[in-house]
Amino acid sequence: MKNLKIMETALRDGHQSLIATRLKTEEILPILEKMDQVGYHSLEVWGGATFDACIRFLNEDPWERLREIRKRVQNTKLQMLLRGQNLLGYRHYGDDVVEKFVQKSIENGIDIIRIFDALNDYRNIKTAVTATKKYGGEAQVCIAYTTSEVHTVDYYIEKVKEIKAMGADSICIKDMAGILLPEVAYEMITRMKAVTDLPIELHTHYTSGIASMLYMKAIEAGVDIIDTAISPFSGGTAQPCTEVFAEVYKGHERDPQLDLDLLAEIADYFKPIKEKYRAEGILNPKVMDVEPKTIKYQVPGGMLSNLLSQLEGQGAADKYEEVLNEIPRVRKDLGYPPLVTPLSQMVGTQSVFNVLTGSRYMVVPKEIKDYVLGMYGQAPAELDEEIKKMIIKDEKPITHRPADDIEPEFEKLKMEIGDLAKSEEDVLMYALFPEIARKFLEKKGKPQVKEIEEYQINIIV
């Protein structure tokens, strides 16, 4: 078998999972040259929540972060996560915006774009895949993993065939909740290898406690790449530890051949940074807990804590177990959507409403109604007809690709933001997050000292 390859997640999903995506660019840049020499297959540095967090919380330009990382990483591929037609935002965008965003991501330094759709409706990722190939990037298409009566190994093998037909460069099994069992993974990867030569990457989270066992069976089955995080940003709701796999498989036929001395230096660099976030309360100890119930309820770790927070805010923390039991019922009613952004939040909220009101679907969020109307794409299974009628009455769901209803919008967005945008990257920032991007662009370029002086004046007054 070929040497195992490793994608390092600390600069994106590792710190997104543990410290709410709060790593600053100034904390990332000093260690990059060493990370570039380790022998990683790729570094995940962008996408997911990093774009939003940069402008919402860190007062940083995410495009500038990417360019600065690219300057320092010359030997290792840079990777990002993209939500298909949603890009990094929370709605479907016009095809012209999707293509432009992919183009600019690659121009600014991204090599591999991992693309997924929450429903595994590949109509919603076709534009992003085509654009990635057009502009010279590698298109990695995801299978969002979940379990249900329709989500069998046979189902996933059919998805592999769809991915292959799309012209993808590789496949990622995206186990966002940490629920893929080792023996199932062994069967799935073995059968995938029988129908495709595309490299297969496996992504998971340690939430349920089975991630290392999962990876070992996947490696045995011939998985090509696994996602791990350097020790300070591993475990809990993040990925398994990079150093462990580099050490355990040293001298093995699948040895990933990473530089163990450099890994130790990188871990030492990040340890005090992690401790700083722990002291500030940004690293919530709960994210490090193992929660085996994840396997039963199919709920990602971050969703569990969000549900508890919602219920505590309503003075209904005692309803937590009841809500967890409601989630599988809502999933079944809605055609078994995988619990990944944004569907995890939507299903969780509907479950809370069902329990707190004491009457199922008496209160329905707009997002759930839009989902039932087909605005997010095609559900994996047929929806319960009675529930569907309760939610949308006599309205007719669409059956075509949702983005077919969106006119080209880049030029319109460019006019809306006007002179505040100094580049197409600024326009795209506005497209994704209009309100916070406008505020960010208004402040961009102003001297920091002036902002401090104004703040001091306000305090004095």
Side-chain angles (χ1 to χ4, degrees), residues 146-427:
T146 190
T147 61
S148 74
E149 61 187 43
V150 298
H151 289 95
T152 62
V153 174
D154 288 340
Y155 167 91
Y156 291 119
I157 297 304
E158 290 305 310
K159 288 297 173 184
V160 169
K161 294 174 184 177
E162 287 185 49
I163 292 169
K164 188 176 179 181
M166 291 175 70
D169 295 296
S170 61
I171 298 169
C172 174
I173 303 169
K174 183 174 172 59
D175 177 26
M176 53 279 176
I179 58 172
L180 177 54
L181 299 178
E183 291 298 335
V184 176
Y186 184 88
E187 179 189 356
M188 184 184 302
I189 292 165
T190 301
R191 290 182 59 185
M192 287 169 69
K193 288 282 182 180
V195 297
T196 183
D197 294 327
L198 292 176
I200 299 170
E201 186 159 352
L202 178 56
H203 175 90
T204 194
H205 292 253
Y206 223 106
T207 316
S208 66
I210 64 173
S212 290
M213 292 180 279
L214 165 64
Y215 275 180
M216 292 189 81
K217 287 301 290 185
I219 293 166
E220 188 181 327
V223 75
D224 298 279
I225 312 161
I226 58 172
D227 293 0
T228 63
I230 200 75
S231 51
F233 288 114
S234 71
T237 53
Q239 285 70 51
C241 175
T242 302
E243 300 99 300
V244 168
F245 284 88
E247 189 67 64
V248 167
Y249 284 90
K250 184 179 179 181
H252 188 273
E253 63 172 344
R254 303 223 56 202
D255 188 343
Q257 298 182 341
L258 302 187
D259 188 317
L260 292 169
D261 292 332
L262 277 177
L263 287 177
E265 290 184 47
I266 294 163
D268 287 342
Y269 173 82
F270 280 117
K271 282 175 185 175
I273 294 174
K274 177 183 180 179
E275 290 308 313
K276 182 194 77 168
Y277 285 106
R278 192 196 304 272
E280 292 175 356
I282 292 173
L283 175 59
N284 186 328
K286 288 184 178 180
V287 302
M288 301 306 299
D289 292 346
V290 171
E291 182 46 84
K293 287 180 181 177
T294 303
I295 299 171
K296 177 182 178 181
Y297 297 118
Q298 312 288 305
V299 178
M303 182 178 168
L304 284 170
S305 56
N306 286 339
L307 283 174
L308 187 55
S309 295
Q310 282 186 51
L311 291 170
E312 286 174 343
Q314 298 292 322
D318 60 314
K319 302 288 188 182
Y320 182 58
E321 200 74 27
E322 195 175 340
V323 170
L324 287 179
N325 283 309
E326 176 67 2
I327 287 170
R329 291 193 285 268
V330 172
R331 277 192 74 222
K332 183 177 181 180
D333 294 342
L334 300 181
Y336 296 110
L339 294 180
V340 63
T341 301
L343 272 305
S344 52
Q345 294 89 334
M346 290 159 55
V347 169
T349 300
Q350 185 64 65
S351 301
V352 168
F353 284 157
N354 286 359
V355 168
L356 294 188
T357 62
S359 180
R360 303 183 80 232
Y361 303 102
M362 183 174 79
V363 177
V364 178
K366 178 182 182 299
E367 291 81 4
I368 290 288
K369 183 177 180 181
D370 286 346
Y371 166 80
V372 175
L373 286 169
M375 302 298 185
Y376 288 85
Q378 184 177 1
E382 290 296 321
L383 279 65
D384 182 286
E385 284 299 324
E386 185 178 334
I387 300 298
K388 186 193 294 187
K389 190 165 184 63
M390 288 174 64
I391 294 172
I392 62 171
K393 307 297 188 289
D394 295 323
E395 291 187 64
K396 298 293 182 185
I398 65 169
T399 56
H400 54 268
R401 185 184 74 124
D404 288 343
D405 294 331
I406 304 174
E407 295 291 330
E409 55 181 338
F410 184 81
E411 291 302 322
K412 177 187 173 186
L413 291 162
K414 185 176 178 180
M415 289 181 64
E416 281 181 13
I417 191 62
D419 292 340
L420 278 178
K422 308 301 181 188
S423 64
E424 290 185 321
E425 286 86 346
D426 286 348
V427 176

Side-chain angles (χ1 to χ4, degrees), residues 405-460:
D405 294 331
I406 304 174
E407 295 291 330
E409 55 181 338
F410 184 81
E411 291 302 322
K412 177 187 173 186
L413 291 162
K414 185 176 178 180
M415 289 181 64
E416 281 181 13
I417 191 62
D419 292 340
L420 278 178
K422 308 301 181 188
S423 64
E424 290 185 321
E425 286 86 346
D426 286 348
V427 176
L428 290 165
M429 185 189 299
Y430 172 72
L432 266 57
F433 304 103
E435 292 182 16
I436 60 170
R438 182 179 289 278
K439 292 176 183 177
F440 177 84
L441 292 171
E442 285 172 349
K443 291 191 297 182
K444 188 178 178 182
K446 290 182 180 178
Q448 185 67 27
V449 64
K450 183 179 178 183
E451 292 180 6
I452 293 171
E453 287 170 358
E454 289 175 350
Y455 175 77
Q456 290 173 336
I457 289 168
N458 289 335
I459 293 295
I460 293 169

